[in-house]
Amino acid sequence: MSYVNPIHRFGLQRFPAAARDAGVDGLILCDCRPRRWGTSGRHGAAGVHPVLLIAPTSPDRRISLISTRSGGYIYYVSLRGVTGTRDRLPDGLAAGIGRVRALTDKPLAVGFGISTPAQAQAVAGLADAVIVGSAVVAAVEQSRARTTSSAGWAGSWGVSGPR
């Protein structure tokens, strides 16, 4: 995930190949509008696919646009507001995912506020992938005092570790 400005600073012409060479195959540019970020540009040609975000408040027309511009999968933001750990999943999550699924055939990854293994399992029943970014950050911060490996942490969530 990045913002557009660091990529501009690095160099728009050289970034796609550099990202590909570093092992990147998908990229979230969270401040780039869907009309400017699509698979037909330099990034797609380099094999770096755009991952665009859909919010619960996104209108159908925007969801359809994002579906045509996304490569690989679509990231569904599960809630209104900011990311971070939560004690429960948002109301209306299943309905929101269903609305997006009716407008696209792309795989759907769901993230934002998924904080526990039980929440991840529930979302896994609705989506193609589950994103647990804040939970990973919290686990890394907690592990500074311990020597728990990321593979051990991932296993505790029922997720396979690094290959």
Side-chain angles (χ1 to χ4, degrees):
M1 179 186 293
S2 181
Y3 294 96
V4 175
N5 196 38
I7 294 171
H8 273 282
R9 185 138 174 86
F10 182 85
L12 289 175
Q13 299 294 326
R14 62 190 187 115
F15 178 79
R20 178 201 58 224
D21 294 347
V24 174
D25 60 7
L27 181 64
I28 299 170
L29 288 178
C30 51
D31 63 341
C32 188
R33 295 177 305 208
R35 292 194 187 283
R36 298 201 55 201
W37 182 216
T39 56
S40 61
R42 258 181 245 100
H43 292 87
V48 178
H49 303 286
V51 177
L52 300 172
L53 284 73
I54 292 176
T57 57
S58 296
D60 290 356
R61 184 173 173 192
R62 184 173 180 87
I63 293 169
S64 296
L65 173 65
I66 287 171
S67 178
T68 62
R69 298 292 175 123
S70 284
Y73 69 94
I74 293 172
Y75 189 141
Y76 182 72
V77 177
S78 69
L79 51 88
R80 294 179 178 127
V82 297
T83 188
T85 57
R86 303 284 196 288
D87 59 354
R88 65 185 184 91
L89 293 172
D91 294 333
L93 179 61
I97 291 170
R99 185 171 72 91
V100 174
R101 286 209 184 275
L103 296 167
T104 185
D105 59 353
K106 296 258 171 86
L108 199 57
V110 177
F112 273 54
I114 300 168
S115 308
T116 68
Q119 291 172 355
Q121 295 243 341
V123 172
L126 302 169
D128 301 297
V130 180
I131 300 168
V132 292
S134 294
V136 171
V137 170
V140 168
E141 288 174 352
Q142 290 173 1
S143 74
R144 288 184 176 180
R146 297 176 287 156
T147 57
T148 303
S149 74
S150 64
W153 176 86
S156 72
W157 274 59
V159 179
S160 57
R163 296 188 205 277

